[in-house]
Amino acid sequence: MKTKVAAVTCGSYDLEEVYSSVAEAIRRIGFVIPENKTVLIKPNIMSQNKPEQNTITHYSVVDALCRILAEKNNRILIGESISFYLSGLTEEAFKTSRIDEVAAKYGARLVPFEGEPLVEVKGLYIPKVLLEADLVINVSKLKTHLVMRMSGAIKNMFGCLPGGYKQKMHLLSNTRLELAEVFVTINEIVKPALNVMDAVVSLDGGPAANGKPVKTSRILASANPAALDAVACRIMGYAPEEIPALACAKKSRMIGDYSEIELLGSVDQKKFEKLKRGPLNEGYKSNGFFSRNGYAWLLIDDSKCTRCGECIDQCPVKAIRAEHDEIILDKDRCINCYHCIYVCPEKAVNADQPFVIRMIWKLAKALKFA
Ligand code: SF4
Ligand code: SF4
C-alpha cells in the first residue's frame, strides 16, 4: 500500500486559512481524529523566538490542530524542550512563540519536558508523558539545517529529549548519521500517529534566526514522518538520499521505496541556497566549543538543601547520591536532563553557565545566531 502525504496550499498564517488547510490535509490522508483521548502536540519551538522569525512552528498551525482536537473533546498537551536550556527558558519559549495563548484558548496543558519523569527505552531516556498520551502529533517547521541539512518531521522529535540531554547526544555522535540515528530511534519509540508540517513560510539557512524566509505556501501531513520529509525535500531541492535523517529512516525501514509515496496535492521546488553538501557520514564539530559548553551546569545550594532525597529518587540515571550527609552529583553520569531542578521542593538545584558563556549566548541572540 502506498504511503500518503498531503500537500495543501496555504498562502498565509491567517487562522481560518490555516485551519482549513490543516483540516483538508488530515482529511486527504484519511487520518481519523480520535474522540475523548489525551493527545500530545509536539511543535518545534527550539528557542525563545517569535513567530515572525520563521524559525519555529507557527502558533496558527498549533491553533488549528487544537481546534480540530477540541471539536472531538480531546484533552490536549503541548510539549517541548528548547535547544539550549537555562531554568525557565522552555516556559519563556512557550510565551515568545505565542503557544501559551493557544494553550489558554483551548485549555491545553503546556509541558516543558524537563519537568517530566523519564523512562529508559532502547537506551534513550524519554519523557514518560509522551508514552502515556493516547497519541502524539508531531508538528514540525520546514527549514534547512546547518548540520543536518534539513529540519523536518523526523528531526523535530529530537526536541523530546529534555534540557541539555540533546547536547549530550550531539557530543556522543561522531557523524551526522550517528546523530540522525538518535532522531529515528525517538520516532520509533514515540511513534507519532500524525505528522503535520508548517511549510507556509520556510527557513533557508536555519535553524537559527539568521536564516532567510522562503514562501513555500504548503501545509503537509502524513502518518509517516519519513514520507513527509521526503516530500518536503522536493520543495528545497534536496534528494532524500542527501538527508542524514532519511538515510537512517530508510535503513531502519521506516520508509521503503520513495516511489511508493502517494502525493495528494502538489509541491513546487523553491529557491533555497541550501547548505554545503558532503558525505553523509562525515564528522562534524560535535565536540566544538559551543557543544561542550552549551549546556548548563548543575549546582546544588547546600544552604537550601534539606537532604529530602527527592532528587536522588527521581534522577533517571542515579547520578545523585547522599554521602555523609552531603548530596553529591556525579557529572560524568548525569545526562543533563534537568529533571532534578523541577523536583527539588526547596529550589536548591539550579542550572547555570559560566559568565563568559552567558555573554556569548547573549551576543549570539543579538546577532540572530540563536
Ligand atoms: S542529576 Fe539526574 S536528574 Fe539531574 S540533570 Fe543529571 S541526570 Fe537529570
Ligand atoms: S531534592 Fe533538593 S532538597 Fe531534596 S535532597 Fe535534592 S537538592 Fe536537597
Side-chain angles (χ1 to χ4, degrees):
M1 202 170 72
K2 293 214 166 197
T3 307
K4 293 177 180 174
V5 179
V8 178
T9 301
C10 186
S12 77
Y13 285 119
D14 169 76
L15 284 182
E16 284 305 316
E17 185 175 5
V18 174
Y19 170 76
S20 303
S21 301
V22 171
E24 174 60 15
I26 291 172
R27 189 196 66 74
R28 280 191 203 171
I29 61 169
F31 183 83
V32 179
I33 297 295
E35 279 190 69
N36 294 310
K37 298 286 184 195
T38 300
V39 182
L40 189 146
I41 296 175
K42 163 65 181 79
N44 180 343
I45 328 173
M46 50 138 209
S47 185
Q48 302 74 41
N49 285 173
K50 293 180 177 161
E52 56 273 20
Q53 291 177 285
N54 298 300
T55 54
I56 53 177
T57 305
H58 197 275
Y59 68 87
S60 60
V61 182
V62 179
D63 186 292
L65 282 162
C66 286
R67 184 168 157 190
I68 289 164
L69 292 167
E71 284 163 358
K72 300 265 180 164
N73 290 320
N74 290 292
R75 292 170 294 283
I76 306 166
L77 310 177
I78 305 173
E80 179 61 306
S81 167
I82 53 150
S83 297
F84 295 100
Y85 182 86
L86 273 182
S87 299
L89 289 188
T90 296
E91 289 86 342
E92 183 64 22
F94 283 132
K95 284 190 191 139
T96 55
S97 61
R98 299 185 60 184
I99 300 283
D100 66 333
E101 293 173 35
V102 176
K105 187 170 163 187
Y106 295 99
R109 178 162 81 86
L110 293 171
V111 181
F113 287 135
E114 298 86 10
E116 297 298 310
L118 302 179
V119 284
E120 187 183 359
V121 192
K122 293 187 177 190
L124 290 173
Y125 294 89
I126 303 288
K128 211 170 160 192
V129 66
L130 282 154
L131 309 178
E132 288 175 344
D134 292 307
L135 68 101
V136 172
I137 302 181
N138 171 15
V139 198
S140 54
K141 175 86 177 174
L142 181 58
K143 298 182 271 188
T144 56
H145 191 280
L146 189 62
V147 176
M148 303 308 285
R149 297 183 184 164
M150 171 192 190
S151 176
I154 299 173
K155 187 185 173 303
N156 186 39
M157 296 307 282
F158 191 43
C160 295
L161 301 189
Y165 186 25
K166 291 180 280 297
Q167 276 75 53
K168 281 259 150 132
M169 281 297 148
H170 270 280
L171 283 174
L172 290 171
S173 306
N174 295 309
T175 67
R176 295 167 177 170
L177 282 178
E178 282 183 23
L179 187 59
E181 269 172 32
V182 177
F183 305 165
V184 169
T185 305
I186 298 167
N187 279 268
E188 287 170 344
I189 296 168
V190 177
K191 297 185 182 66
L194 173 65
N195 302 274
V196 174
M197 183 180 279
D198 167 9
V200 178
V201 180
S202 304
L203 193 74
D204 188 20
N210 60 334
K212 289 192 191 102
V214 181
K215 197 155 190 248
T216 44
S217 307
R218 291 291 184 281
I219 293 288
L220 307 182
S222 179
N224 184 320
L228 183 67
D229 281 353
V231 168
C233 275
R234 297 185 204 172
I235 298 176
M236 297 186 295
Y238 273 124
E241 293 76 18
E242 293 179 286
I243 305 298
L246 281 168
C248 292
K250 198 142 198 195
K251 196 170 135 208
S252 73
R253 299 180 175 277
M254 186 185 282
I255 184 136
D257 198 319
Y258 293 120
S259 64
E260 292 294 305
I261 294 172
E262 182 183 4
L263 179 58
L264 303 157
S266 66
V267 291
D268 310 315
Q269 186 180 331
K270 300 288 182 189
K271 191 171 173 348
F272 280 76
E273 298 297 328
K274 297 189 293 244
L275 300 153
K276 188 169 72 76
R277 297 174 195 216
L280 282 188
N281 62 354
E282 80 180 349
Y284 68 97
K285 286 189 178 170
S286 63
N287 63 350
F289 180 78
F290 275 107
S291 299
R292 279 186 281 113
N293 296 286
Y295 56 86
W297 300 346
L298 280 174
L299 303 167
I300 296 177
D301 184 340
D302 204 49
S303 66
K304 287 187 183 167
C305 174
T306 58
R307 299 355 180 212
C308 71
E310 193 62 25
C311 57
I312 298 173
D313 294 344
Q314 301 263 353
C315 174
V317 293
K318 304 287 168 234
I320 312 179
R321 65 183 193 280
E323 219 174 86
H324 309 302
D325 198 34
E326 205 183 334
I327 300 296
I328 312 274
L329 200 152
D330 181 340
K331 284 187 180 166
D332 293 330
R333 190 181 274 257
C334 171
I335 58 169
N336 291 75
C337 67
Y338 305 132
H339 187 49
C340 48
I341 294 174
Y342 283 75
V343 300
C344 175
E346 307 302 329
K347 302 212 181 313
V349 188
N350 294 295
D352 202 1
Q353 286 172 324
F355 178 75
V356 62
I357 298 295
R358 268 186 275 136
M359 289 305 107
I360 290 171
W361 279 120
K362 274 199 171 163
L363 186 65
K365 267 196 175 303
L367 296 174
K368 300 186 173 178
F369 284 105

